[in-house]
Amino acid sequence: MKKSFKQWIGVGTTFVMAATVIAGCGNTSNQTGQSTTAPSAAATANAKPFAGKTISLVTANHPWAEAIKPLLPDFEKETGIKVNVESFFEDQLTQKLTVQFTSGSATPDVFMYRPLQEGKLFYKNGWVQPLDDFAQKAKDYDFNDFSKSAIGSTTVDAKLAGIPIITEQEILYYRKDLLQKAGIAVPKTLDELTAAVKKLHDPKNEMYGFVARGQRSPLVTQVSSFLYSEGADFTTGDKASINTPEALKAFTTYGTLLKDYAPPGVLNMSWPQAFGIFAQGKVAFLTDANSLYQNATDPAKSKVSDQVGFAVFPGGKAGSKPYSITSWGLAMNAKSANKDATWAFIQWATSKDVVLKTQQKGNPGARASVWDKPEGTTGFPAELVPIIKESSKTGVDHDRPTVISVGEARDAVGEIVQKVMTGETNLQPVADKANQALQTIMDKDKTR
């Protein structure tokens, strides 16, 4: 028989049963010899482990939040916990959390956050409660069901700083009709991609071979998959490594594709502009996050919605190594006065049953078992599902340098790629300078 949430909910590092089993029946005697009556079966069955407790939840204005809100009455009914919810735009959310945590506030108890953007800062400042003991010891939670890369994104200094709720991977978008007409197979390597881009590039007829993010900071997340697939990374141990031969090859490939085969104005493009021109039917290939697929496939937004194909990120010298990250997670305030109740909410919100429900609304979760269920994939195009599953298995758990000063680090990396895009041929001095800037940022982190 399927257990209700209140029957197995974990409290801290121990567990309570909502319905306590009481030996015997009828009248019993207490230590003073007075007669007592055992609670009835109905009374114990209706017990709520956290009756009267209230926790505060702060979310981003995000589809996951909209999917979870209608489910909250079920959680409140089963546990007795009242959940007060506030939602903010992304920038407002970060600002609100920073202000409250800096002041030592015990609220919010639980909050959405971006692990690769704020995770290290929040953890280093002591603002988030490590969840290792909660997650590993929670009965029936099956922590090992979460993808390794998703957990990697929410781990700081070998401690679990949050639980993944939204994942994404970089994939290749392409025009099925153009490839079919030209007799081109879907590229499986970066060399094949470059060759296909060259063949389909026809700017005189407003057809461009490739588009991706070209703005200095936004491009960093998308060039990361090129970096990993060439066997490089932003850092190696405690050393910056964006000036290695492998890194330069990756930056050159990405920058050259944008310089020679992208639409005009690509230097100023982030994802909305890149998807926008792809959706207008003017580009053959696009690399970006799978979570943004509706910008290419929604007939209301895209003139080529029925011709969009999806593929695993093309491989380089090290094979196909796309980023596979947690873009949003749930974390617990280290100063929360209701940690057991807060964990009860996190455990419920990231349980298999609830992840199934939120994923059916198009929110890509981190649980392998949900992706393996046909009903868990109904919120996504059938052709995209195997691409997501494969990318999750081979992907890397970060899409930017994992430092506290993320903005500065992204600017340093993005500068290298933009130099390629503007025609710089002597890239090594540029990369050396950027590498030193990144190293300085990393060294500063050690003193915080």
Side-chain angles (χ1 to χ4, degrees), residues 58-60 88-101 112-114 117-118 121-122 127 328:
V58 167
T59 75
F88 299 88
F89 291 111
E90 286 185 24
D91 291 342
Q92 292 176 321
L93 174 63
T94 301
Q95 184 179 15
K96 175 183 174 60
L97 293 174
T98 300
V99 169
Q100 289 197 228
F101 294 155
M112 283 179 68
Y113 78 116
R114 297 170 294 182
Q117 191 67 21
E118 301 110 4
L121 172 66
F122 285 9
W127 295 342
W328 287 97

Side-chain angles (χ1 to χ4, degrees), residues 129-281:
Q129 173 69 39
L131 299 175
D132 304 78
D133 285 344
F134 288 97
Q136 293 288 357
K137 297 178 182 179
K139 188 178 180 181
D140 292 348
Y141 187 52
D142 194 4
F143 180 67
N144 291 330
D145 187 41
F146 287 92
S147 80
K148 184 178 178 181
S149 60
I151 293 299
S153 296
T154 61
T155 300
V156 182
D157 294 345
K159 292 293 185 180
L160 185 64
I163 302 293
I165 53 174
I166 297 293
T167 64
E168 66 182 33
Q169 298 82 28
E170 184 168 2
I171 65 170
L172 179 68
Y173 295 82
Y174 65 92
R175 284 278 300 279
K176 295 178 183 177
D177 53 335
L178 297 181
L179 268 65
Q180 184 176 10
K181 184 177 179 181
I184 298 173
V186 177
K188 293 185 178 180
T189 68
L190 290 173
D191 287 342
E192 290 176 1
L193 173 63
T194 300
V197 165
K198 288 180 180 179
K199 189 170 182 178
L200 295 175
H201 186 61
D202 186 12
K204 291 182 180 179
N205 292 306
E206 284 195 290
M207 176 55 65
Y208 303 92
F210 181 81
V211 72
R213 306 182 194 189
Q215 284 185 25
R216 184 170 64 171
S217 180
L219 71 80
V220 173
T221 56
Q222 306 312 305
V223 80
S224 69
S225 298
F226 288 77
L227 194 66
Y228 310 144
S229 296
E230 293 295 354
D233 205 331
F234 298 107
T235 60
T236 302
D238 60 355
K239 298 295 182 183
S241 55
I242 54 175
N243 63 344
T244 65
E246 295 81 6
L248 292 186
K249 183 178 181 182
F251 296 147
T252 299
T253 299
Y254 187 88
T256 301
L257 285 170
L258 292 179
K259 176 173 70 73
D260 294 343
Y261 307 108
V266 72
L267 271 167
N268 297 314
M269 289 186 185
S270 187
W271 72 262
Q273 296 79 23
F275 271 93
I277 198 161
F278 182 84
Q280 290 172 25

Side-chain angles (χ1 to χ4, degrees), residues 39-50:
S40 67
T44 56
N46 291 326
K48 297 180 179 181
F50 299 102

